[in-house]
Amino acid sequence: MAFPEPGLYRTTVAHPKAADAIPADRLVYVGKRGEDGAFVVVPHYNEHNRWFWREPTTDVDDASWGESLVALPAEGFYTLPRTLTFEGGGRWLENAVVQLGYDRAGQGIVFVAERRPVDTNALFFSDRGQRIDDALLFALRWAPILPVRDAPGTATH
């Protein structure tokens, strides 16, 4: 059986053996279990617009269910492919740096980068974002920005 590649997905149908825990329209992470298997897990908590995961995991042992998953872009930093204009005024410009996150249903949310009047040269991201449709979600352009804890030469503990 071919397993989905590790990554983020949106379910389109409930898991055949865990429908209550993993319903349709749910953000999930699929991981590998050795050479011969895969598991799926639902998000546990969200911090700084990123999901964190923990037990319990459920085996992906149904090929048709695995094929029903919609692969999603990784959480992280992207640029907008076009200007977004909002009801009531306001807009985010094309090429603006945004952080991509998701709600529990696997719908994309972008958080625009802002500079604050402080003495550091840093971008800040709000905890309030804008839901986006799949057309924009899949058109976002990856921006190779490393979080501080992953940047070369920084401590990770």
Side-chain angles (χ1 to χ4, degrees):
M1 176 169 91
F3 297 104
E5 288 297 315
L8 294 178
Y9 292 84
R10 181 186 315 132
T11 62
T12 60
V13 295
H15 189 286
K17 295 182 181 174
D20 289 341
I22 308 172
D25 298 319
R26 179 69 173 196
L27 178 67
V28 296
Y29 175 80
V30 173
K32 291 244 184 233
R33 193 182 305 281
E35 294 294 318
D36 301 325
F39 67 88
V40 62
V41 61
V42 297
H44 179 62
Y45 70 95
N46 191 295
E47 186 175 286
H48 302 293
N49 307 322
R50 291 182 54 203
W51 286 106
F52 291 83
W53 316 83
R54 74 171 200 191
E55 300 287 338
T57 62
T58 304
D59 287 336
V60 177
D61 54 7
D62 182 308
S64 63
W65 186 79
E67 292 170 0
S68 74
L69 299 172
V70 175
L72 299 172
E75 293 175 304
F77 304 101
Y78 293 80
T79 59
L80 292 175
R82 61 179 169 80
T83 296
L84 299 182
T85 303
F86 304 106
E87 285 185 29
R91 64 185 174 146
W92 294 350
L93 299 176
E94 179 179 354
N95 294 321
V97 175
V98 295
Q99 180 183 16
L100 173 63
Y102 293 95
D103 64 15
R104 287 189 182 272
Q107 296 300 306
I109 303 172
V110 290
F111 306 84
V112 72
E114 302 172 356
R115 289 207 45 184
R116 293 188 182 159
V118 294
D119 294 336
T120 62
N121 185 14
L123 296 176
F124 295 87
F125 295 87
S126 172
D127 60 351
R128 291 183 173 201
Q130 179 68 41
R131 278 196 176 75
I132 57 173
D133 61 23
D134 281 355
L136 181 56
L137 173 66
F138 292 108
L140 292 173
R141 297 180 299 243
W142 180 71
I145 300 171
L146 294 176
V148 171
R149 70 171 177 262
D150 297 332
T154 60
T156 59
H157 53 281

